[in-house]
Amino acid sequence: MQTTAFKAVAARPGFASRLSAFDGAALAVAALIAVPLLTIAATLLLGGASDTWHHLASTVLRDYIASTLVLCGGVAVGTIVIGTAAAWLVSMHDFPGRRMFEWALVLPLAVPAYVMAYTYTDLLQFVGPVQTALRETFALKPGQYWFPDIRTLGGAVLIFVFVFYPYVYLLARVTFIERASGMLEVGRSLGLGPWRRFFHISLPLARPAIAAGAAMALMETLADYGAVSYFGVQTFTTGIYRAWFSLGDRVAAAQLAASLLGFVCLVLLLERTTRGRARFHDTSSRRTAAPGRRLSGLGALAAVLVCAVPLTIGFLVPAGALIHMALTEGDAQFGSRFLLLARNSFVLATMAALLAVGVALLLAYAARTARHALPGIANRVVALGYALPGSVVAVGVLIPVTRLDTWLASTLQSISGWNPGLLLTGGIAALVYAYLVRFLTISLQTVEAGLAKVTRSMDDAARSLGYSKEATLVRVHLPILRGSLLTAGLLVFVEIMKELPATLVMRPFNFDTLATQVYTLASDERLAEASTAALAIVAVGVLPLILISREIARHQRR
């Protein structure tokens, strides 16, 4: 369908004349980002149906579909309810601890889902501290009581909900702050109560942001491998890994990846459908939210509980458990090696985040200003990389990049007699490219949401003053988008700090990161030793998240 759309747009009369240099640059970058996706698709189309695929289709494919649907449904409902409720409370109300909750509620994003899965399994297993305390307190013996098993599909849903709800919280909170003042004051003057103002004004205005946040959470859920594999949940992601790395059948893995892409397309379609044709623009220069409604008594207690529960489950408990393990047992290798690991992770995350923001700005602005649909279609294709498992993206990158590397080496050797070796795959360039393919959607959706707040009349006014597209971007849009660009960059930074599969596959020889250290130790059931590296990931991710939330809070109080 998308290929047909590309051809239809390109075949229109005068298409080449309407394709500006800016559009051409955006399309070239989008094509470069799409190369790994096209590589996987080519493997699928040219490989045919293998025996492995027939075996998977007849045995476990239904389980993959059912588990993936349950995961998506549970995570969507959970993240929307928790993220929206928390955002509305801290943005529109005043209650004890609100100033702390407004920045602390984003902290679960700093905890990788696989680390949270390891931690809660250690806490809740039969020999863990929770069940041990219950047996000692109530004098229970094994078999005399029932305790829920965290390593189930339901447990995976809960883990993902409490890790990914900040996506909805962040985007919904920005919307509540920026669009609350005038319209909520009008609603109050018309006699609407707090609940009616929420359901009839705040929630409809925040619907696009909530849908975008939920879509990001769902794509993270679809792409996860560490938590679902540790819990033994059969999803498309675990099937892809099994087909590619255990069975050695990349065609079957590509076919499963294509099925996973179908789920991604469904998520993106639902997000666009939910947004619909609605457009909400804030044409006033006022940015201060209406005074928060003061809560007291049971209302204040309920607000504190609504904010404290996800923060406690998603951050305080796993972080506290890791700190306890690090202090009581710890890692004998902790020292200068961890400084090296932190430096490697920081360099990779910074480089990829800056590139992701720049590319996202180019693609989103090209789609906004183009006189045809091609840049928008290209953006939707590029966005599909976010839901692919990191190792699949890595293989999709390695196939074409290795061929390019080999060609460059042979060409330079034939010209100069010097063989430079693998220039791209031998260093971090190919790994940064894989990060860009994997995480570009985060920055692209954030930048698109920021551009959606800028009215078209501002573009028309800039055009009437003789500004080109580039000048309008620099002089009009960039000052307005500063907060969105900062948010996009920091979100990508935090995600790359936690990224594991692509790093395992593509990192250069003797080049480790904090994430690979955690995986290596935790997979050997050495969770206490892995706690120091896990805490380092959390600590590095916490600061950018606090900066994002505090920037939003300052924006609210201006």
Side-chain angles (χ1 to χ4, degrees):
M1 182 181 297
Q2 289 170 335
T3 303
T4 304
F6 271 110
K7 292 180 179 178
V9 171
R12 291 176 183 174
F15 170 75
S17 62
R18 290 185 290 141
L19 187 65
S20 66
F22 193 90
D23 297 337
L27 291 175
V29 173
L32 183 63
I33 299 299
V35 165
L37 304 179
L38 298 176
T39 301
I40 295 172
T43 304
L44 170 66
L45 295 175
L46 301 178
S50 63
D51 293 337
T52 303
W53 169 256
H54 288 303
H55 171 71
L56 293 175
S58 62
T59 55
V60 295
L61 186 58
R62 290 184 180 179
D63 293 336
Y64 291 164
I65 295 174
S67 298
T68 302
L69 287 175
V70 171
L71 272 178
C72 289
V75 171
V77 173
T79 54
I80 288 174
V81 171
I82 293 176
T84 305
W88 182 61
L89 285 172
V90 300
S91 302
M92 299 289 104
H93 299 81
D94 188 14
F95 55 91
R98 181 186 65 83
R99 290 287 183 89
M100 182 270 292
F101 284 126
E102 66 183 8
W103 59 264
L105 280 166
V106 303
L107 295 182
L109 278 181
V111 182
Y114 55 88
V115 170
M116 193 167 172
Y118 298 150
T119 303
Y120 272 101
T121 299
D122 183 72
L123 291 174
L124 301 178
Q125 63 183 337
F126 180 78
V127 296
V130 175
Q131 292 200 51
T132 300
L134 287 175
R135 290 194 299 271
E136 292 176 352
T137 302
F138 298 101
L140 297 174
K141 296 181 179 179
Q144 292 182 337
Y145 69 98
W146 175 84
F147 195 85
D149 185 8
I150 187 66
R151 298 180 69 169
T152 60
L153 180 58
V157 170
L158 290 176
I159 292 293
F160 291 138
V161 166
F162 287 106
V163 170
F164 298 139
Y165 80 84
Y167 285 122
V168 177
Y169 168 77
L170 276 173
L171 297 180
R173 184 178 165 218
V174 171
T175 303
F176 287 146
I177 292 172
E178 294 183 346
R179 298 173 183 164
S181 305
M183 292 189 177
L184 286 181
E185 289 176 3
V186 171
R188 188 180 294 108
S189 67
L190 293 175
L192 297 180
W195 288 106
R196 294 186 67 186
R197 289 199 301 270
F198 172 71
F199 284 108
H200 293 283
I201 298 177
S202 297
L203 194 58
L205 288 176
R207 188 179 67 183
I210 293 171
M216 293 168 65
L218 288 178
M219 286 190 284
E220 282 283 6
T221 300
L222 290 171
D224 178 81
Y225 172 73
V228 292
S229 64
Y230 189 69
F231 281 179
V233 177
Q234 299 298 315
T235 65
F236 278 102
T237 310
T238 57
I240 291 168
Y241 276 76
R242 185 175 298 111
W244 204 312
F245 296 104
S246 297
L247 302 178
D249 192 335
R250 69 176 187 177
V251 175
Q255 290 166 334
L256 288 173
S259 302
L260 182 57
L261 281 176
F263 278 91
V264 179
C265 293
L266 179 61
V267 169
L268 295 175
L269 178 61
L270 289 175
E271 187 269 333
R272 290 288 169 177
T273 303
T274 301
R275 184 182 301 184
R277 294 181 176 272
R279 296 294 183 269
F280 306 103
H281 303 299
D282 188 358
T283 58
S284 69
S285 59
R286 183 176 180 180
R287 288 291 185 268
T288 304
R293 175 171 172 256
R294 181 71 180 180
L295 299 178
S296 60
L298 292 178
L301 178 61
V304 170
L305 289 177
V306 169
C307 296
V309 169
L311 174 62
T312 301
I313 296 176
F315 181 76
L316 296 180
V317 170
L322 291 173
I323 291 174
H324 179 265
M325 286 186 286
L327 294 178
T328 56
E329 300 179 56
D331 184 1
Q333 301 179 20
F334 185 78
S336 59
R337 173 167 171 76
F338 278 84
L339 296 178
L340 177 62
L341 295 172
R343 187 203 68 180
N344 292 344
S345 298
F346 183 83
V347 169
L348 288 172
T350 301
M351 292 177 59
L354 292 175
L355 283 173
V357 171
V359 171
L361 182 62
L362 173 66
L363 297 181
Y365 189 68
R368 176 186 175 92
T369 59
R371 292 179 290 174
H372 45 79
L374 192 54
I377 297 173
N379 289 358
R380 302 285 71 79
V381 173
V382 167
L384 298 178
Y386 188 38
L388 284 181
S391 64
V392 176
V393 172
V395 176
V397 168
L398 282 174
I399 293 174
V401 171
T402 301
R403 292 178 180 175
L404 177 61
D405 237 354
T406 304
W407 177 81
L408 287 174
S410 60
T411 301
L412 289 175
Q413 187 174 19
S414 63
I415 294 176
S416 62
W418 170 64
N419 187 350
L422 300 178
L423 297 174
L424 301 177
T425 54
I428 64 173
L431 180 56
V432 172
Y433 177 33
Y435 289 154
L436 193 59
V437 174
R438 174 73 175 82
F439 296 112
L440 178 62
T441 303
I442 297 177
S443 58
L444 182 58
Q445 287 199 348
T446 306
V447 173
E448 284 180 338
L451 280 174
K453 296 182 295 185
V454 183
T455 63
R456 294 284 181 175
S457 61
M458 299 185 71
D459 295 335
D460 297 336
R463 192 177 300 111
S464 68
L465 294 174
Y467 287 174
S468 63
K469 287 184 179 181
E470 294 78 7
T472 302
L473 174 62
V474 173
R475 303 191 62 176
V476 177
H477 292 88
L478 281 182
I480 300 175
L481 292 175
R482 183 174 56 185
S484 297
L485 296 178
L486 175 63
T487 301
L490 290 178
L491 285 175
V492 174
F493 180 91
V494 171
E495 288 299 323
I496 293 175
M497 289 295 300
K498 300 183 296 182
E499 204 285 328
L500 174 65
T503 310
L504 283 173
V505 175
M506 300 189 62
R507 72 188 191 278
F509 177 73
N510 202 28
F511 185 93
D512 290 316
T513 65
L514 295 170
T516 60
Q517 179 81 345
V518 172
Y519 173 80
T520 301
L521 295 175
S523 61
D524 293 335
E525 300 297 332
R526 297 157 63 189
L527 186 58
E529 295 182 52
S531 62
T532 49
L535 281 173
I537 295 176
V538 173
V540 173
V542 161
L543 180 58
L545 290 173
I546 294 177
L547 291 177
I548 291 174
S549 196
R550 287 192 175 275
E551 177 67 21
I552 295 174
R554 284 196 297 268
H555 187 75
Q556 177 183 10
R557 291 189 284 267
R558 283 203 296 265

